[in-house]
Amino acid sequence: MKHPRSIAAASAGMLAAGTLATVALTPGTADAAPAPAVHVRVIHHHVHMTDVVRPGVRRFVIRSPRAASFQIIRKTRGYTERQLVHDVNTGMNGGNTRAIKRFERHVTLLGGIASSHNHPGTMWLNLPRGRYIAVDTNTHRTRLSQLFEFRVRGARVPGAMPAGRRITAIKETTWSARPKAIPTRGVLRFVNRSQDNHFIALAKLAPGKTVADFKAWIDATMQGQQVPPPIDMSAPEVDTGAVSPGHRFAFHYRLPKGHYILTCWWPDADMGGMPHAFMGMYRQLDVR
């Protein structure tokens, strides 16, 4: 299950095969809720954390010596971890739409955040009691041993989600029109009110480039042309984990000022695995 390594990955012809992982520069921040943090280490695509978490709003702090994309999921009863791994590798990573659809039917995606060396990711998630799986999605092939199962049980911890601007996915492949701009650092809340799975990929437009240039790049790429995207590849990005319809989470971010393109690269199985960005799920978002 790959996230966009960068927007340039799509221009390399990786449209139907799903998405590749990026690095989000998301330093940790103080928790607005009194609950202690759940500390996570991701080493060689293996998640290391406590296997029991108390229910309620929890702050996860993810550290990794190299690029990682932490994701929390919950699978349906009867859908085995072996089936999950197969569907990830042949569907999300391989472009098999039947595998993507089976994965989507049996898995609820609850969010996640990227991390890298010296740049931990911080996210808040309201977890009810149950069994969950944590995994690093920044890999070309997921192995059964890389799925980390943990349980949420015990007394609920007090606390609430932190305040922050809200980015909302609506309809099927549309971002809400607001906010038009966000501060350079803080908390963003991601709400999925659409009919499909989505995640946030926020990349800075190169100097002098606009949303029209991004659209032209999308059109050219869909016609098979190999052209560089109008993105400042040296600037930090935001890359979140995926969220299923009706779910939400929050995360900390820090970005330099500028014009950004807000996209989602989830592969749409009904459209042959086409990423949502190629179906028009992008808009400008300014950081100032």
Side-chain angles (χ1 to χ4, degrees):
M1 183 166 45
K2 299 176 271 188
H3 287 192
R5 177 160 309 175
S6 70
I7 291 181
S11 67
M14 300 179 180
L15 305 185
T19 52
L20 301 179
T22 68
V23 179
L25 301 188
T26 52
T29 185
D31 192 355
V38 178
H39 292 281
V40 180
R41 292 281 294 178
V42 182
I43 303 174
H44 300 302
H45 305 303
H46 286 80
V47 173
H48 301 269
M49 57 176 279
T50 177
D51 60 358
V52 176
V53 176
R54 289 172 60 188
V57 174
R58 305 312 311 266
R59 176 169 61 99
F60 288 81
V61 179
I62 300 94
R63 294 180 171 85
S64 57
R66 60 185 66 184
S69 295
F70 181 74
Q71 172 78 48
I72 294 180
I73 64 179
R74 192 172 189 179
K75 64 182 183 66
T76 60
R77 183 175 298 181
Y79 184 58
T80 68
E81 292 186 353
R82 191 172 298 278
Q83 289 173 317
L84 187 154
V85 168
H86 173 272
D87 291 344
V88 164
N89 290 327
T90 61
M92 304 303 300
N93 294 351
N96 184 303
T97 56
R98 291 183 63 183
I100 294 174
K101 289 181 178 181
R102 186 171 75 157
F103 176 82
E104 291 181 316
R105 284 196 307 271
H106 292 288
V107 165
T108 300
L109 302 162
L110 299 170
I113 195 67
S115 61
S116 63
H117 181 61
N118 291 330
H119 295 287
T122 301
M123 56 176 275
W124 291 261
L125 183 62
N126 191 353
L127 286 175
R129 295 175 180 84
R131 292 178 179 267
Y132 298 83
I133 291 173
V135 63
D136 175 18
T137 65
N138 186 10
T139 175
H140 292 280
R141 183 171 181 80
T142 299
R143 292 177 169 80
L144 194 62
S145 63
Q146 293 169 350
L147 303 185
F148 181 87
E149 185 178 55
F150 67 97
R151 304 177 80 176
V152 176
R153 64 185 184 187
R156 184 177 179 86
V157 298
M161 297 290 282
R165 302 289 181 90
R166 184 173 67 188
I167 293 178
T168 306
I170 58 176
K171 300 180 181 178
E172 185 176 3
T173 56
T174 305
W175 294 113
S176 60
R178 295 186 179 277
K180 298 291 188 182
I182 58 175
T184 57
R185 64 184 302 169
V187 172
L188 283 175
R189 294 181 294 165
F190 180 20
V191 181
N192 188 353
R193 290 182 176 170
S194 77
Q195 306 162 14
D196 211 339
N197 300 320
H198 297 296
F199 63 89
I200 291 174
L202 188 59
K204 189 177 183 183
L205 288 165
K209 298 299 182 179
T210 66
V211 174
D213 295 309
F214 186 81
K215 181 182 184 304
W217 172 75
I218 289 280
D219 294 341
T221 302
M222 291 185 70
Q223 295 173 10
Q225 301 177 31
Q226 300 295 318
V227 294
I231 299 300
D232 183 353
M233 305 305 293
S234 65
E237 302 173 324
V238 163
D239 173 37
T240 74
V243 180
S244 292
H247 291 270
R248 65 186 64 200
F249 80 108
F251 61 94
H252 185 267
Y253 74 96
R254 184 174 68 183
L255 293 169
K257 294 180 180 180
H259 302 301
Y260 286 74
I261 193 80
L262 170 64
T263 61
C264 171
W265 296 87
W266 185 266
D268 195 299
D270 293 332
M271 296 294 290
M274 181 182 293
H276 285 159
F278 282 78
M279 298 169 62
M281 195 170 185
Y282 60 86
R283 73 167 176 87
Q284 183 171 319
L285 179 63
D286 292 339
V287 175
R288 59 194 184 203

